[in-house]
Amino acid sequence: MIPGPNINLVTALSSEAKPLIDAFRLDRVLDARGFILYAKDDVSLVVTGIGRMRAAAATGWLAARQGESRSSAWLNVGIAGHGSRPAGSMMLAGKLRDAATGRHVFPPALVGRGLDRDLVITVDRAETGYSEDAAYEMEAFAIWDTATRFVTGELVSFMKIVSDGPEAGEIETIDRAGVISLVGAHVEAVSGVVDELRELAGIEAARTAAPAGIDAYLEHWHFTVSARHELTGLLRGLHARDPDAELIDATTRSCKNARAALDALAARVNAADTGVAVD
Amino acid sequence: MLLISALYIENDVATHPRVAALKQRYANVPHISCDRYGEVFNPKSQNFRLQKRAPALIVARKHSGRVLAAPDGYGAGEGEAYYFSHMLNCLYDCRYCFLQGMYASANYVLFVNFEDFGDDIDRVLEESPNQEQVWFNSGYDGDSLALEPLSGFVEHFVPFFQSRPRAMLELRTKSTQIRCLTALEPVDNVVCAFSFTPASVARGLEHKVPDIERRIAAMVELQQKGWRVGVRFEPLIWCEDFRSRYRELFAQVLEPLNADKIDSVSIGSFRMPDGFFKKSRELYPDEPLFAGPLSSTRGVVGYTDELNFEMTQFCTDEILSRVPADRFYHCKEALA
């Protein structure tokens, strides 16, 4: 299990991954089975393979490896066709459409201020008609659908780099070196977005973290799932009211079971009624 | 200029003149089209707290439910009371606010079809021919004045109400953005009500709100220019040294005003529907306000009855020592 928060980069192709592996100095995770995974510090990169099925599977797989963390951030980086933009231009997804169902979603625009945003359409076969002024690719919607089962949408972002289209050239002319070059030209922007996502993920990590002192309770008594929720709330409340309070005092420690410990803790939380502290 | 991260535009209003102006004003942020604002605003996989760091603006048409009846026990004036919301969400970030518990998104929604709101207000007036006055409250799903440069709400609706003397408009605000009003001649049937908590509480709970001194100055200026102003000590927040803090607040806010010309003064307890409270606490689990002496009664979280009584009794006595009884009321109902 990898503890959160994590930054998860998701690419379909190993050629898309190559410049990111270099930039973030990632190492291959040798015990990873099922998908190719790289990681270093808080950054992981999974190579999904082409298409929505593989993208969804890889995203779910990585989320599971990370203990279904609520504070992982996800950034899909990849090439795309585009109806009007020239090769090499880059954009974030402001709106995603699943071409198969016509469904739209709107990844929140919290990161990448100043970068262009476009409609990104996830298709099942490589698009050569480019009928709309949009980016065409094959994974984004599936990654969104899967990642947002685990994390809030603000932590999921999509960066697309134009490789083909009426203004960019034919899809058949793209080779591995070309993809590496296209993605490599935007590593700095990727890094900037990663930093912003890391900050947001940090806020979520702090918000969703188990409260301080909970281990002492869990080691001492057995709590059911609902009792554990209650314990979490009470410890949060105690800390909110008095950040310096002893999290498990002598009276609580002498309790015979979890219920009694919760009652003792509740009594302490409710005892302080001085109201909101003011400066 | 208010910073926004993106401008979402409902296709239905893409060519609306108010939207055209906003497109021009925000030419440098991404413009993203949508069919209905709910596609952007309502999905569950959103985090109000994170979005509050950089909200986007969604411009949309309000199709129905534009003017709604306010519950009994709500509002200052005699007569029927309604409320209407041209915007959802607020520039400010007050920790006690129900909006953070009610909406999935912190993005601002601006309904640009003001004329339809106006038609509905006229309809309500026609249906209440015998009412001497009918109150229309704004500023419950967002501050009435704070986003005026973006919305043009006051610019449109104050003249609208001016020509309908039976219709009373209450603007509710924590803003100092009063130029939109001071640029106009005072209008008899428009009240601008300012909300306050003690300065020290405001510093802890009312994020991004102008400081209390500037708000008092704005309120006094409006009154001196002939506008009707109201004072809302809502919500009352239980705090250390509650009595001295609130006594000081009442003096600070009420003394600079001409007491004879204050339109109304109200108090209202902190209260929030259970579901909104739960969500707010999940967003801010370390917020001391939510760990306070609160309890849930009939689906609404508020201070315990005993404490509530103590707080309201004290504040009522203090305010009545400064303001005539016929100007004071205790707001007992939340809209949400």
Side-chain angles (χ1 to χ4, degrees), chain A:
Chain A
M1 295 245 297
I2 305 167
N6 310 285
I7 304 295
N8 296 328
L9 303 172
V10 184
T11 68
L13 306 170
S14 62
S15 51
E16 293 168 330
K18 177 74 171 59
L20 306 178
I21 293 165
D22 293 345
F24 291 97
R25 300 166 189 249
L26 305 178
D27 299 317
R28 180 86 183 254
V29 178
L30 296 174
D31 72 345
R33 295 174 59 211
F35 291 93
I36 297 171
L37 181 66
Y38 295 82
K40 183 165 191 178
D41 301 329
D42 65 344
V43 179
S44 298
L45 184 151
V46 63
V47 181
T48 68
I50 294 173
R52 72 171 72 223
M53 294 281 280
R54 293 186 180 104
T59 304
W61 172 81
L62 183 53
R65 273 184 71 92
Q66 294 173 340
E68 303 182 24
S69 166
R70 294 168 69 186
S71 55
S72 293
W74 298 81
L75 176 61
N76 168 222
V77 181
I79 59 170
H82 199 284
S84 64
R85 289 181 183 267
S89 55
M90 179 269 287
M91 80 235 49
L92 298 178
K95 176 177 178 179
L96 294 176
R97 183 195 301 161
D98 178 3
T101 62
R103 197 178 135 216
H104 286 110
V105 293
F106 297 80
L110 262 70
V111 298
R113 187 168 281 193
L115 300 179
D116 287 346
R117 275 172 212 274
D118 262 0
L119 167 64
V120 171
I121 304 174
T122 300
V123 294
D124 287 327
R125 289 185 182 175
E127 174 76 22
T128 53
Y130 312 106
S131 54
E132 290 190 55
D133 187 11
Y136 292 87
E137 55 79 76
M138 300 175 72
E139 293 83 24
F141 203 93
I143 293 168
W144 168 271
D145 241 5
T146 309
T148 54
R149 289 174 184 271
F150 303 100
V151 302
T152 184
E154 289 75 16
L155 299 183
V156 187
S157 200
F158 301 87
M159 181 180 286
K160 297 294 163 184
I161 297 138
V162 177
S163 57
D164 54 279
E167 303 298 321
E170 292 182 6
I171 196 167
E172 290 80 10
T173 62
I174 308 164
D175 59 12
R176 177 176 169 82
V179 174
I180 292 172
S181 171
L182 285 168
V183 175
H186 295 287
V187 159
E188 201 176 317
V190 171
S191 185
V193 170
V194 162
D195 286 344
E196 292 179 81
L197 286 170
R198 182 179 284 121
E199 192 179 342
L200 296 179
I203 294 168
E204 270 299 86
R207 184 181 75 83
T208 57
I214 196 167
D215 288 345
Y217 284 80
L218 297 180
E219 284 164 13
H220 217 84
W221 300 280
H222 172 72
F223 289 83
T224 63
V225 173
S226 68
R228 189 175 167 148
H229 285 309
E230 189 179 344
L231 174 63
T232 299
L234 287 169
L235 284 171
R236 287 277 199 185
L238 182 65
H239 181 73
R241 283 198 181 190
D242 180 4
D244 300 324
E246 194 181 4
L247 293 167
I248 179 163
D249 65 356
T251 310
T252 312
R253 209 180 290 276
S254 68
C255 291
K256 289 208 161 45
N257 54 44
R259 184 67 260 163
L262 285 172
D263 290 343
L265 181 58
R268 289 180 66 206
V269 173
N270 293 329
D273 64 350
T274 53
V276 174
V278 293
D279 53 11

Side-chain angles (χ1 to χ4, degrees), chain B residues 213-282:
Chain B
E213 291 82 7
R214 288 171 56 213
R215 285 186 276 150
I216 291 170
M219 182 175 64
V220 170
E221 183 183 343
L222 271 185
Q223 192 190 50
Q224 287 172 346
K225 291 209 151 94
W227 286 90
R228 291 172 67 174
V229 299
V231 182
R232 306 286 173 257
F233 297 111
E234 299 179 34
L236 297 178
I237 300 293
W238 179 239
C239 59
E240 288 174 4
D241 305 321
F242 176 85
R243 288 170 180 249
S244 61
R245 300 275 173 188
Y246 270 88
R247 188 177 287 128
E248 185 186 349
L249 175 69
F250 299 144
Q252 189 181 9
V253 171
L254 297 174
E255 276 176 12
L257 291 169
N258 181 336
D260 295 333
K261 291 187 175 173
I262 295 176
D263 181 81
S264 54
V265 178
S266 70
I267 58 171
S269 306
F270 168 69
R271 58 237 187 267
M272 207 187 272
D274 282 345
F276 298 176
F277 180 81
K278 185 170 174 246
K279 194 185 149 214
S280 301
R281 193 171 54 185
E282 279 171 7

Side-chain angles (χ1 to χ4, degrees), chain B residues 13-291:
Chain B
V13 298
T15 57
H16 192 287
R18 290 189 185 97
V19 175
L22 287 166
K23 281 179 175 173
Q24 201 170 13
R25 186 183 181 98
Y26 290 108
N28 294 330
V29 305
H31 295 180
I32 301 165
S33 66
C34 60
D35 287 331
R36 285 292 178 97
Y37 80 91
E39 290 178 303
V40 184
F41 194 69
N42 291 338
K44 283 183 182 166
S45 60
Q46 302 191 81
N47 183 304
F48 191 98
R49 178 175 176 172
L50 293 181
Q51 287 192 5
K52 203 71 190 166
R53 294 164 61 87
L57 172 64
I58 307 168
V59 287
R61 179 185 302 282
K62 179 80 172 162
H63 290 268
S64 60
R66 287 180 287 256
V67 179
L68 300 169
D72 291 341
Y74 184 86
E78 297 290 317
E80 293 177 7
Y82 295 82
Y83 69 101
F84 66 109
S85 297
H86 69 292
M87 282 200 82
L88 309 181
N89 275 327
C90 183
L91 178 64
Y92 308 131
D93 188 16
C94 300
R95 201 53 64 240
Y96 50 70
C97 182
F98 67 89
L99 294 175
Q100 67 199 351
M102 185 162 70
Y103 295 134
S105 170
N107 291 331
Y108 311 118
V109 179
L110 171 64
F111 297 115
V112 294
N113 53 324
F114 290 176
E115 292 73 13
D116 293 332
F117 282 88
D119 290 346
D120 288 357
I121 289 168
D122 279 338
R123 200 164 299 126
V124 169
L125 290 171
E126 282 167 21
E127 288 167 2
S128 313
N130 300 322
Q131 291 282 326
E132 240 176 74
Q133 55 184 28
V134 181
W135 282 87
F136 296 90
N137 300 284
S138 86
Y140 295 96
D141 289 307
D143 191 283
S144 295
L145 301 186
L147 293 173
E148 178 64 18
L150 180 153
S151 70
F153 169 75
V154 167
E155 185 186 357
H156 178 88
F157 276 100
V158 167
F160 175 90
F161 276 84
Q162 187 172 21
S163 61
R164 291 156 177 82
R166 274 202 310 129
M168 306 294 297
L169 172 65
E170 179 176 307
L171 305 167
R172 181 77 68 101
T173 191
K174 288 192 182 82
S175 175
T176 56
Q177 189 86 245
I178 57 169
R179 267 175 301 178
C180 53
L181 290 170
T182 55
L184 303 169
E185 287 301 310
V187 175
D188 278 349
N189 55 331
V190 174
V191 176
C192 189
F194 290 76
S195 306
F196 296 97
T197 59
S200 48
V201 172
R203 279 194 288 276
L205 298 180
E206 297 177 352
H207 308 287
K208 304 181 187 174
V209 175
D211 62 49
I212 192 169
E213 291 82 7
R214 288 171 56 213
R215 285 186 276 150
I216 291 170
M219 182 175 64
V220 170
E221 183 183 343
L222 271 185
Q223 192 190 50
Q224 287 172 346
K225 291 209 151 94
W227 286 90
R228 291 172 67 174
V229 299
V231 182
R232 306 286 173 257
F233 297 111
E234 299 179 34
L236 297 178
I237 300 293
W238 179 239
C239 59
E240 288 174 4
D241 305 321
F242 176 85
R243 288 170 180 249
S244 61
R245 300 275 173 188
Y246 270 88
R247 188 177 287 128
E248 185 186 349
L249 175 69
F250 299 144
Q252 189 181 9
V253 171
L254 297 174
E255 276 176 12
L257 291 169
N258 181 336
D260 295 333
K261 291 187 175 173
I262 295 176
D263 181 81
S264 54
V265 178
S266 70
I267 58 171
S269 306
F270 168 69
R271 58 237 187 267
M272 207 187 272
D274 282 345
F276 298 176
F277 180 81
K278 185 170 174 246
K279 194 185 149 214
S280 301
R281 193 171 54 185
E282 279 171 7
L283 286 172
Y284 299 95
D286 296 320
E287 171 54 57
L289 173 69
F290 302 142

